[in-house]
């Protein structure tokens, strides 16, 4: 079992604030790192798949960076909105399509 | 395109019973993975099926089993239920794109064992 850690566990921010959180994963046997957004009562939704060291991905106000050498990825949200409230999951894979998930960062954006 | 469906959505069983959960993937997707989420835990990988064959298996006891049919629908079975099996069970329909699997999750089945 591979250890994937996410921090912080939960986070409250004011609407309009920018925020970021971290995913740490083993730096050996890296194949890909996935980010998901999981809103309450919905299914996890894929945000990004990142494979190369130094990768940066962006979708609207959300972006992510990847450092495979040191084993971490950051997810950034610029100008948080209440609809960004969700749990953000990262998942690491060594190549086989079984993902090792972190426990997530629960983000609450206060209007 | 219809999404991933899971049935039932909620289920209450008694310790010692068995349960079967069903997952219908997105049309055309041949790979299905199953995950378990218990309170305080991340999603734990159970197994993955591709074209009716189990390709990968997570670290779960033999009470957890699954299968996939020719139409790609998948079932997972848990025998001799224990209280600790109470969890949300998610299935993911996936396909290979650019060397990586893109996963689409279903809404989950919430299993409560009493």
């Amino acid at each position: 079992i591979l250890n994937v850690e996410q921090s912080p566990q939960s986070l409250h921010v004011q609407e309009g604030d920018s925020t970021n959180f971290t995913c740490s994963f083993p730096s050996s046997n890296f194949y890909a790192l996935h980010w998901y957004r999981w809103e309450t009562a919905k299914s996890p939704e894929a945000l990004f798949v990142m494979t190369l060291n130094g990768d940066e991905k962006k979708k609207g106000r959300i972006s992510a960076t990847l450092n495979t050498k040191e084993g971490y990825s950051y997810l950034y949200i610029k100008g948080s909105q209440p609809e960004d409230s969700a749990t953000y999951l990262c998942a690491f894979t060594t190549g086989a399509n079984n993902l090792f998930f972190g426990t997530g960062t629960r983000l609450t954006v206060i209007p | 395109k219809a999404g991933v469906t899971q049935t039932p959505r909620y289920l209450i069983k008694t310790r010692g019973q068995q349960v079967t959960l069903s997952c219908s993937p997105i049309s055309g997707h041949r790979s299905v993975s199953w995950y378990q989420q218990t309170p305080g835990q991340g999603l734990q990988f159970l197994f993955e099926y591709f074209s009716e064959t189990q390709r990968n298996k997570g670290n779960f006891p033999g009470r957890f089993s699954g299968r996939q049919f020719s139409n790609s629908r998948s079932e997972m079975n848990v025998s001799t239920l224990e209280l600790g099996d109470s969890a949300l069970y998610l299935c993911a329909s996936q396909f290979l794109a650019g060397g990586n699997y893109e996963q689409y999750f279903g809404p989950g089945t919430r299993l409560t064992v009493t």
Side-chain angles (χ1 to χ4, degrees):
Chain A
I1 296 178
L2 299 176
N3 200 28
V4 179
E5 295 184 355
Q6 290 188 247
S7 61
Q9 197 170 34
S10 66
L11 191 56
H12 288 73
V13 300
Q14 291 292 137
E15 182 176 352
D17 286 351
S18 294
T19 187
N20 65 85
F21 17 95
T22 307
C23 172
S24 300
F25 52 86
S27 55
S28 58
N29 298 319
F30 176 86
Y31 187 81
L33 193 283
H34 298 242
W35 280 101
Y36 292 84
R37 174 170 57 203
W38 194 357
E39 294 178 69
T40 303
K42 294 188 177 179
S43 309
E45 173 197 356
L47 287 173
F48 307 115
V49 180
M50 309 175 78
T51 56
L52 298 176
N53 185 45
D55 246 357
E56 288 189 31
K57 299 265 180 156
K58 189 174 180 192
K59 184 185 283 190
R61 294 178 292 97
I62 303 177
S63 60
T65 60
L66 179 67
N67 183 322
T68 60
K69 294 187 189 310
E70 295 181 42
Y72 65 84
S73 175
Y74 294 136
L75 189 82
Y76 300 92
I77 301 179
K78 185 177 176 182
S80 302
Q81 299 297 307
E83 58 265 31
D84 296 328
S85 295
T87 296
Y88 291 83
L89 297 172
C90 70
F92 165 87
T93 178
T94 58
N97 50 336
N98 51 321
L99 301 179
F100 296 93
F101 282 85
T103 52
T105 293
R106 182 185 293 274
L107 173 67
T108 303
V109 182
I110 304 163
Chain B
K1 193 182 255 193
V4 181
T5 57
Q6 290 187 247
T7 56
R9 294 292 311 279
Y10 302 91
L11 200 52
I12 300 174
K13 289 286 190 178
T14 304
R15 207 167 40 170
Q17 288 185 312
Q18 74 161 19
V19 68
T20 299
L21 312 181
S22 179
C23 171
S24 293
I26 292 171
S27 177
H29 290 190
R30 293 161 65 191
S31 175
V32 173
S33 289
W34 287 89
Y35 295 85
Q36 180 199 62
Q37 189 194 40
T38 51
Q41 297 286 319
L43 291 171
Q44 304 287 318
F45 172 74
L46 280 154
F47 26 66
E48 185 240 347
Y49 285 87
F50 179 84
S51 292
E52 302 178 65
T53 301
Q54 186 182 87
R55 272 202 307 201
N56 289 291
K57 190 177 191 315
N59 191 30
F60 277 81
R63 300 185 297 106
F64 291 81
S65 63
R67 58 178 176 167
Q68 187 180 34
F69 302 94
S70 58
N71 62 358
S72 293
R73 188 177 71 85
S74 178
E75 288 181 348
M76 67 162 279
N77 183 276
V78 188
S79 62
T80 320
L81 284 165
E82 300 176 0
L83 296 179
D85 297 332
S86 294
L88 178 68
Y89 291 88
L90 288 172
C91 82
S93 167
Q94 52 210 14
F95 73 98
L96 194 59
N100 282 293
Y101 275 91
E102 292 194 12
Q103 296 201 330
Y104 296 84
F105 283 88
T109 294
R110 172 81 58 189
L111 171 66
T112 302
V113 182
T114 61

